[in-house]
Amino acid sequence: MSFATVVLKRKRHNGVILKLDFEKAYDKVNWEFLQQTLRMKGFSAQWCKWIDCIVRGGSVGIKINDDMGSFFQTKKGLRQGDPLSPLLFNIVADMLAMLVSRARENGQIEGVVPHLIDGGLSILQYADDTIIFLENDMEQAKKLKLLLCAFEELSGLKINFHKSEVFCLGDAKGEVAAYVQLFGCKEGTFPCKYLGIPMSYGRIANKDWNQIEERFQKRLSSWKGKLLLVGGRLVLINFVLSSLPMFMLSFFRIPKSILKKLDYYRSRFFWQNDEHKKKYRLAKWSVLCTPKCVRGMGITNLDTQNICLLSKWLIQLINEDGIWQQVLKKKYFNNKPLSQIVKKLGDSKFWSRLMEVKDFFAS
């Protein structure tokens, strides 16, 4: 999402972004629609029969204050906790992407950034996290609303339009009230979250990292460090605290001030347990973060980990082919190899951070 948003904003293109929210997604799936979808995707009759037996079997009871009520049969939906349910839901939700793609091919709607993606980008979908991109055209928006209502009727899934958000860029900002009224949703503001990551066309502010600091404090408040040996505290630091920011570190370069705070929390827990009284440090934190093979403590160095995680994007950019790779190559490469690409003024923040770690990656 961030790639398309940056291009729309920087190039002053017009566009509308609709971020959808599904209501109790697993509980609303229509069984007949699921069977039809499986047949359309080429599953055998025997497999469809097995799936039908799985989703229809069983009964449900409601428990209130340790009192279990009478059991009853369900008429729709997928079981929570069933390992097959996420796969089945993805198959059903994928039909929305298919409907949007067919509408684009038939000229009913148009995607954004067609100069970077063949046919334009119309939809990004991962399970029930769905974002639809649209040109600034009210007639196309009306057709999209009709398509979404048709998908609701067919699949049984219900879109929470009052919890969904619409983002208008370029000249579309002048018609934001009309789009809000049409879709019955609220106007969104950047940064917005998609798959748990804050997305924006600009720089991610330090306040967007506060959630990581809050998670650190929540974990530390529940631990009794004074009851643990050094080895126990070391395990908690490496396998719990150091893993909390990994998802954000996979996408963004961590600010120095945030890195300093996270290292402070880890260092304080290691040396002071959970006490507030400051204790003497027997070694520098940088020494503790060196590998055990060179007589360190092997604590994860978050800065180095951040560089390595960002470098994985460069590995995928070189070795794989997908939508985001196509966007970056057409926007930044200009038929040049990665080794010849340099950071330029006006590059997106994500690309700028990749260029900062490129030399480390090449070495």
Side-chain angles (χ1 to χ4, degrees), residues 95-107:
M95 294 303 292
L96 175 59
M98 185 179 296
L99 291 174
V100 172
S101 297
R102 288 184 178 178
R104 184 190 63 198
E105 293 170 359
N106 295 331

Side-chain angles (χ1 to χ4, degrees), residues 58-240:
S59 55
V60 177
I62 299 177
K63 188 176 184 179
I64 302 177
N65 296 331
D66 294 331
D67 293 330
M68 180 65 70
S70 58
F71 287 84
F72 57 91
Q73 297 291 326
T74 55
K75 301 297 182 181
K76 59 182 178 181
L78 302 173
R79 298 183 192 178
Q80 297 283 354
D82 191 320
L84 264 180
S85 293
L87 175 61
L88 297 178
F89 178 80
N90 287 343
I91 291 175
V92 171
D94 186 58
M95 294 303 292
L96 175 59
M98 185 179 296
L99 291 174
V100 172
S101 297
R102 288 184 178 178
R104 184 190 63 198
E105 293 170 359
N106 295 331
Q108 301 297 318
I109 61 176
E110 295 181 10
V112 297
V113 293
H115 61 292
L116 296 178
I117 299 177
D118 298 334
L121 178 63
S122 299
I123 185 170
L124 289 178
Q125 188 175 38
Y126 185 85
D128 60 339
D129 286 328
T130 304
I131 294 179
I132 298 179
F133 300 88
L134 192 68
E135 284 289 335
N136 179 27
D137 189 316
M138 190 56 64
E139 290 301 317
Q140 291 187 31
K142 292 178 180 178
K143 294 175 182 177
L144 175 62
K145 179 63 181 291
L146 181 62
L147 185 149
L148 294 175
C149 292
F151 177 74
E152 283 185 312
E153 292 296 324
L154 291 170
S155 66
L157 299 177
K158 179 175 175 54
I159 299 174
N160 263 336
F161 283 104
H162 65 281
K163 287 187 177 181
S164 301
E165 296 178 316
V166 62
F167 304 84
C168 295
L169 301 173
D171 294 340
K173 285 186 175 180
E175 302 181 41
V176 62
Y179 285 109
V180 168
Q181 183 178 7
L182 173 64
F183 291 110
C185 58
K186 59 184 178 180
E187 180 184 1
T189 56
F190 291 106
C192 66
K193 281 196 173 183
Y194 180 63
L195 300 177
I197 289 292
M199 296 293 180
S200 177
Y201 51 82
R203 177 178 174 271
I204 299 299
N206 285 5
K207 64 180 182 180
D208 297 312
W209 290 84
N210 287 344
Q211 58 176 337
I212 303 298
E213 185 178 349
E214 292 171 359
R215 292 172 68 185
F216 264 63
Q217 294 174 347
K218 184 177 179 180
R219 289 283 186 174
L220 291 170
S221 64
S222 63
W223 291 346
K224 299 297 181 182
K226 62 183 179 181
L227 302 179
L228 297 172
L229 298 176
V230 173
R233 296 198 297 272
L234 187 62
V235 169
L236 288 176
I237 289 173
N238 266 340
F239 293 96
V240 181

Side-chain angles (χ1 to χ4, degrees), residues 203-210 212-213 216 237 241-242 245-246 248-249 252-268 285-286 289 299-307 309:
R203 177 178 174 271
I204 299 299
N206 285 5
K207 64 180 182 180
D208 297 312
W209 290 84
N210 287 344
I212 303 298
E213 185 178 349
F216 264 63
I237 289 173
L241 292 182
S242 299
M246 286 303 165
M248 288 283 285
L249 296 181
F252 307 111
R253 192 76 173 98
I254 185 170
K256 297 298 182 183
S257 59
I258 300 299
L259 177 63
K260 186 176 180 180
K261 283 185 179 180
L262 300 187
D263 283 344
Y264 164 73
Y265 286 122
R266 296 193 300 163
S267 175
R268 188 182 68 176
W285 183 247
S286 58
C289 290
I299 296 177
T300 303
N301 186 315
L302 294 182
D303 188 44
T304 303
Q305 188 73 35
N306 187 202
I307 294 174
L309 290 172

Side-chain angles (χ1 to χ4, degrees), residues 278-305:
K278 189 174 182 179
K279 292 186 177 181
Y280 183 75
R281 267 68 168 167
L282 300 179
K284 291 183 178 180
W285 183 247
S286 58
V287 174
L288 299 183
C289 290
T290 55
K292 292 182 179 180
C293 60
V294 289
R295 297 185 179 181
M297 297 298 292
I299 296 177
T300 303
N301 186 315
L302 294 182
D303 188 44
T304 303
Q305 188 73 35

